Amino acid sequence: MARLIFITGGVVSSLGKGLASAALGALLQARGYRVRLRKLDPYLNVDPGTMSPFQHGEVYVTDDGAETDLDLGHYERFTGVPSAQSDNVTSGRIYQRVIERERRGEYLGRTVQVIPHVTDLIKEFVIAGTDDIDFLLCEIGGTVGDIEGLPFFEAIRQLGNDLGHRNTCFVHLTLVPYIETAGELKTKPTQHSVKELRSIGIQPDILLCRSHYPIPEEDRRKIALFCNVSPACVIPGLDLSTIYEAPMRFHEQGLDTQVLKTFGIDDAPLPDLSHWQWVVERVKNPEGEVKIAVVGKYMQVKDSYKSLSEALTHGGIANNVQVHMEWIDSEIFERDDAASFLEDVDGILVPGGFGERGTEGKIRAVRFAREHNVPFFGICYGLHMAVIEGARDLAGLEGAGTTENGHPRHPVIALMTEWTKGNQLEVRQEGGGLGGTMRLGQYPAVLATGSRVAEIYGGLEIVERHRHRYEVNVGYLRQLAEHGFVVSGWSPDGRLPEIMEISDHPWFIGVQFHPELKSRPFLPHPLFASFIAAAVRQSRLV
Ligand code: GLN
């Protein structure tokens, strides 16, 4: 079984626990270890699939079709290890299982309790399928002291006991704030947070202390003394100009060395951080800049499009330029002329989304891109908007729309009730419940020979991740093709259009899937690399 590293948080949320976990995973991987990352989320939703992006940020979809926490996106981007349903669990799912078991009579008449029944299930989940890896990094959502997080903390405390100290390591992330009026860094919140952790039986081995300013040696010693750890295990986590610097900075501060020491490992090979050096070098020293307008709906919460903004950054890394993103709420175009906002951008991207609000504005953004020869990238709902725009303006189908938003005269986007996955027929029902009716997870697609996407991918077979209910209606394809808007990628059974493009345009591609989920800083997704390359060409024109 793998050695277990638990990452907990204290003081406040949003300190970057997911990123810190991902960076530690990347560091251990760079030393040659096989790692996997998991997240325990204390909220009661069964998964984040039905939560609003305003509440929860992006829903990250895995290859096996799980709708998960966005931290799994960080894990994948930092380690390149694809995550799965088994890497994210919520209190809701745990309780659901316990109650199902109880209803089936599996507890044999015993009183069902948080300890041991809920905690046992959590422990089962944490260690499942970890035989072929060296380290499992398990992040606990929320902060220590939250009521709903208690069963998770209790479960990892028990695991620490069950497996012994040489097989488990507890990393606690805290904040060391700077008090302007006193001109001092304050260690008390960290002391209190560790006290809280120790009161539930967990003694942290490593403290990761987020801070705006370097933490003086004296403060590190003080934290160590009060929190019962060695001074070398008080690791400062300073703000960084790019998140991809985290593995290198943490290594300099000794994070991976100290973690390995807690397992009694002090002869591990040094990490090979060359690919991180390359990424950081590129991000910090770009040779130019491009401006991309992202026209969507959930603009106030940047985390709603986390993978997308990262994938655009990766596209910049591929082209050695900085990608400046302008987040524009599409509803603006329903009041004001799109031109004034889009005139000076080098590319326009309409991302995934749901519901009617803002759709007419997105359609206007597509029209601007098409008519003004600005590189256009439509992702999922963005493809739908492009098809509606093309149907209305190119093919003259007035009233073209999506059945997602009512009963349009020309349902160019509609619900497909059947499709095949491999040899299996999959069916979904009109009016079915919201959870579990989507085409989710990875599906293969076949690209058209000679298409732009075939050239971009450098092959004809691709596999990408999906998260949607509606599809391009094949009944309207002929009318669109007559105007040069063609399907260039199909599902292997030839039933579902997966990619559409206009070849007589500098770069106009819409995809039914979410390529942003599979982009990595050291391996930018080909579509994002190509889109940004087109934006670079565009920037030279203006
Ligand atoms: N709302 C659309 C659908 O359900 C698109 C979803 C998305 O963009 N992820 O099909």
Side-chain angles (χ1 to χ4, degrees):
M1 205 185 72
R3 295 177 169 97
L4 308 182
I5 302 168
F6 295 108
I7 301 103
T8 58
V11 186
V12 289
S13 59
S14 304
L15 288 180
K17 194 153 31 86
L19 274 171
S21 308
L24 176 57
L27 269 180
L28 294 170
Q29 195 185 43
R31 285 183 182 256
Y33 293 110
R34 294 161 304 170
V35 300
R36 185 152 205 103
L37 287 111
R38 255 174 205 168
K39 172 116 195 251
L40 310 177
D41 274 313
Y43 51 77
L44 286 174
N45 304 62
V46 172
D47 65 37
T50 50
M51 279 157 94
S52 156
F54 289 120
Q55 283 267 315
H56 187 264
E58 163 186 274
V59 172
Y60 191 77
V61 179
T62 59
D63 280 341
D64 60 353
E67 296 180 280
T68 68
D69 185 79
L70 58 79
D71 278 331
L72 273 76
H74 293 311
Y75 305 164
E76 281 205 26
R77 283 188 286 276
F78 275 80
T79 64
V81 178
S83 36
Q85 172 76 73
S86 52
D87 294 321
N88 188 202
V89 81
T90 66
S91 291
R93 191 180 293 276
I94 296 279
Y95 279 101
Q96 189 185 41
R97 296 245 168 100
V98 170
I99 290 166
E100 276 164 12
R101 282 190 187 179
E102 188 272 336
R103 291 289 87 185
R104 285 198 299 266
E106 286 179 28
Y107 293 110
L108 306 174
R110 279 192 295 269
T111 311
V112 182
Q113 296 180 297
V114 172
I115 305 171
H117 302 106
V118 168
T119 46
D120 277 355
L121 255 193
I122 296 171
K123 284 157 68 176
E124 248 175 61
F125 170 84
V126 169
I127 57 179
T130 55
D131 286 339
D132 57 348
I133 53 168
D134 301 306
F135 290 98
L136 175 79
L137 292 90
C138 184
E139 177 191 346
I140 291 79
T143 43
V144 60
D146 298 346
I147 289 179
E148 56 190 11
L150 277 173
F152 288 119
F153 282 91
E154 169 59 16
I156 65 170
R157 181 197 69 76
Q158 289 179 21
L159 276 169
N161 263 355
D162 298 349
L163 302 172
H165 202 186
R166 283 282 150 126
N167 293 309
T168 48
C169 169
F170 290 88
V171 179
H172 189 57
L173 181 71
T174 72
L175 177 69
V176 178
Y178 179 76
I179 303 298
E180 203 76 61
T181 45
E184 276 178 26
L185 286 170
K186 289 292 176 192
T187 65
K188 194 70 85 187
T190 297
Q191 295 177 40
H192 278 297
S193 178
V194 171
K195 195 168 148 199
E196 182 80 38
L197 200 57
R198 291 171 74 188
S199 75
I200 51 177
I202 296 173
Q203 166 63 50
D205 299 292
I206 314 266
L207 294 176
L208 255 180
C209 303
R210 286 298 316 276
S211 169
H212 285 305
Y213 300 101
I215 304 175
E217 200 43 51
E218 198 189 315
D219 285 331
R220 283 174 80 166
R221 270 204 302 275
K222 186 169 164 192
I223 293 171
L225 185 66
F226 281 91
C227 300
N228 194 30
V229 299
S230 83
C233 290
V234 179
I235 314 275
L238 301 184
D239 297 345
L240 302 169
S241 56
T242 158
I243 54 170
Y244 298 123
E245 228 180 321
M248 292 195 298
R249 295 292 92 85
F250 278 150
H251 175 64
E252 284 162 14
Q253 302 289 349
L255 174 63
D256 47 331
T257 310
Q258 293 306 327
V259 167
L260 289 169
K261 267 197 184 149
T262 64
F263 292 108
I265 304 172
D266 38 27
D267 57 350
L270 278 175
D272 173 6
L273 295 173
S274 47
H275 60 305
W276 291 112
Q277 257 146 6
W278 178 80
V279 167
V280 171
E281 183 67 22
R282 285 260 172 154
V283 174
K284 286 195 159 179
N285 303 302
E287 278 167 7
E289 188 191 90
V290 291
K291 210 191 263 183
I292 302 294
V294 182
V295 181
K297 180 164 154 188
Y298 315 103
M299 291 307 162
Q300 300 91 320
V301 188
K302 290 287 143 54
D303 272 359
S304 323
Y305 297 111
K306 191 74 209 154
S307 293
L308 181 71
S309 66
E310 291 307 313
L312 283 167
T313 301
H314 305 162
I317 292 174
N319 291 282
N320 215 6
V321 292
Q322 188 189 347
V323 178
H324 177 78
M325 295 160 225
E326 300 229 334
W327 303 89
I328 304 176
D329 192 324
S330 62
E331 278 184 300
I332 280 189
F333 301 149
E334 292 166 18
R335 295 188 298 269
D336 301 314
D337 184 18
S340 58
F341 295 89
L342 299 175
E343 228 148 38
D344 63 339
V345 303
D346 309 312
I348 297 172
L349 191 151
V350 178
F354 292 83
E356 188 157 18
R357 189 165 65 74
T359 47
E360 290 305 319
K362 290 180 193 175
I363 291 166
R364 283 190 196 148
V366 179
R367 183 158 305 162
F368 184 92
R370 189 175 56 73
E371 290 182 343
H372 292 80
N373 284 326
V374 179
F376 170 78
F377 197 0
I379 294 179
C380 205
Y381 214 30
L383 164 70
H384 296 179
M385 297 302 122
V387 170
I388 294 170
E389 195 281 324
R392 289 183 189 172
D393 208 50
L394 291 172
L397 299 169
E398 214 178 295
T402 163
T403 58
E404 177 167 352
N405 303 322
H407 302 281
R409 179 128 66 96
H410 293 286
V412 291
I413 305 296
L415 193 79
M416 289 284 294
T417 48
E418 279 184 17
W419 68 89
T420 48
K421 185 174 193 179
N423 295 326
Q424 230 180 321
L425 185 69
E426 301 202 328
V427 183
R428 82 186 130 191
Q429 279 153 10
E430 190 105 39
L434 280 189
T437 55
M438 289 207 245
R439 191 145 79 98
L440 279 169
Q442 71 169 6
Y443 283 81
V446 182
L447 309 183
T449 319
S451 60
R452 191 189 302 243
V453 281
E455 191 191 314
I456 292 171
Y457 276 96
L460 295 182
E461 282 169 29
I462 61 166
V463 182
E464 294 282 3
R465 293 185 199 166
H466 290 246
R467 181 175 187 247
H468 58 105
R469 274 184 204 96
Y470 298 85
E471 313 273 351
V472 177
N473 186 345
V474 290
Y476 289 95
L477 290 179
R478 194 183 43 78
Q479 278 127 300
L480 291 167
E482 278 167 9
H483 297 276
F485 194 10
V486 297
V487 176
S488 53
W490 284 97
S491 61
D493 64 1
R495 287 190 194 207
L496 306 174
E498 297 279 27
I499 307 178
M500 293 187 66
E501 60 184 56
I502 298 178
S503 51
D504 184 22
H505 186 282
W507 208 98
F508 192 103
I509 294 175
V511 297
Q512 184 56 80
F513 44 83
H514 289 275
E516 71 273 23
L517 301 176
K518 285 179 50 163
S519 189
R520 317 267 176 260
F522 38 83
L523 214 62
H525 191 287
L527 284 172
F528 282 91
S530 174
F531 175 57
I532 298 301
V536 171
R537 288 193 293 276
Q538 179 76 11
S539 71
R540 296 200 176 123
L541 291 179
V542 285

